[in-house]
Amino acid sequence: MNINDPVGDLITRIRNAHLRGRSKTHSPASTLRARVLQVLKDEGYIRDFREIENEGRKELEIELKYFEGAPAIQEIQRVSKPGRRVYSGSKELPIVRNGLGITIVSTPRGVLSDAEAREHNVGGEVLAEVF
């Protein structure tokens, strides 16, 4: 299966697994997906992730996080899409829910949260917003 938007696919898999109350979900492995998941892990939105091999294909197994039965990720949405890319400078990065959420940004220094991007004074492509 050819996937044109790997980050959008990852976000949809996480959202669907949360809606079904799953503790884990799987996604095809890629470096970009792993970096997005590392930001989610560092910010406390998922428990962990690891790369596994399933029928000769590498996959990412993602352990989702719940707090008192409610998902840690209440809302996750893709911002920059293949048909409409969204870029932002370090000073103009969007603030999600008055700073309670994060923005995931692809920068020249790698995939970072909005706070890290501001700290390093770099902007880039706004991949997703998480709350």
Side-chain angles (χ1 to χ4, degrees):
M1 175 169 68
N2 188 10
I3 298 173
N4 292 330
D5 185 13
V7 175
D9 177 65
L10 174 68
I11 288 170
T12 300
R13 287 173 188 259
I14 291 172
R15 188 183 311 117
N16 288 343
H18 271 309
L19 288 172
R20 299 291 297 159
R22 307 265 192 237
S23 62
K24 292 182 181 179
T25 188
H26 294 84
S27 175
S30 75
T31 306
L32 179 60
R33 290 178 199 227
R35 289 180 178 163
V36 169
L37 289 172
Q38 186 62 50
V39 170
L40 289 173
K41 180 182 173 187
D42 293 344
E43 296 292 329
Y45 287 102
I46 62 172
R47 284 197 192 285
D48 201 7
F49 71 96
R50 64 179 173 273
E51 192 172 296
I52 60 171
E53 191 156 329
N54 188 9
E55 298 177 5
R57 294 188 185 130
K58 291 185 178 183
E59 287 188 345
L60 294 169
E61 182 181 67
I62 307 157
E63 289 183 49
L64 302 174
K65 189 174 184 179
Y66 291 87
F67 181 72
E68 295 179 357
I73 298 174
Q74 294 178 7
E75 186 179 308
I76 184 169
Q77 58 183 311
R78 183 82 156 106
V79 175
S80 183
K81 299 175 183 174
R84 182 177 163 261
R85 299 292 184 187
V86 177
Y87 297 93
S88 181
S90 63
K91 306 252 188 299
E92 296 85 31
L93 285 171
I95 297 172
V96 180
R97 302 269 178 119
N98 250 355
L100 295 175
I102 64 164
T103 303
I104 301 173
V105 186
S106 177
T107 70
R109 292 194 177 202
V111 178
L112 305 172
S113 69
D114 57 341
E116 291 173 313
R118 283 188 194 95
E119 183 180 309
H120 294 297
N121 198 28
V122 291
E125 183 179 357
V126 181
L127 297 177
E129 291 181 349
V130 184
F131 173 70

